[in-house]
Amino acid sequence: MTSERLKKRLQKDRPMTSITIRIPVDVVESMKKIAPLKGFSGYQTLLKSYISEGLRKDEERYSSVSTARLIEALKKHGVSEAIIEEATRDLIPFPNQK
């Protein structure tokens, strides 16, 4: 994720939309029990946390795949290893990457 996208994600006042989603009653009841144990005010906040966590993992996964494909394409077009290595060092890693 780019640093600009990350900054926007962390803003509290970003635009929101309402959605309707059908979830089994027993799942909602479980989330209502788990939410306070995890420090959340309610099950909807817990649900948003689950969605955000999954989204971050997928963005990281697919970004890594895209980067690897780009590197392979650059190699095929004759870009030197040294230049590719230098450019990849300039990439901003995801917050949970080392």
Side-chain angles (χ1 to χ4, degrees):
M1 179 182 309
T2 64
S3 61
E4 195 59 37
R5 281 181 63 195
L6 182 58
K7 286 178 189 176
K8 286 182 181 180
R9 273 271 161 93
L10 296 174
Q11 291 176 348
K12 297 291 182 192
D13 62 343
R14 64 184 193 218
M16 303 288 265
T17 188
S18 294
I19 64 168
T20 301
I21 183 170
R22 296 178 60 82
I23 299 175
V25 173
D26 62 310
V27 172
V28 174
E29 293 304 317
S30 292
M31 287 191 299
K32 285 180 179 179
K33 291 176 185 172
I34 292 171
L37 300 174
K38 292 189 74 163
F40 292 103
S41 59
Y43 78 95
Q44 291 180 351
T45 309
L46 176 62
L47 181 59
K48 286 189 267 186
S49 172
Y50 287 152
I51 292 169
S52 294
E53 182 180 327
L55 181 58
R56 278 192 303 275
K57 286 179 182 178
D58 283 348
E59 285 178 329
E60 178 180 346
R61 176 180 172 207
Y62 292 113
S63 175
S64 297
V65 169
S66 296
T67 301
R69 289 175 60 190
L70 175 61
I71 289 170
E72 289 305 313
L74 291 172
K75 287 178 183 178
K76 285 180 184 177
H77 289 300
V79 177
S80 74
E81 287 283 336
I83 291 174
I84 292 172
E85 286 179 23
E86 183 178 339
T88 55
R89 281 193 300 270
D90 292 341
L91 294 175
I92 300 170
F94 281 88
N96 59 349
Q97 285 184 332
K98 293 182 180 182

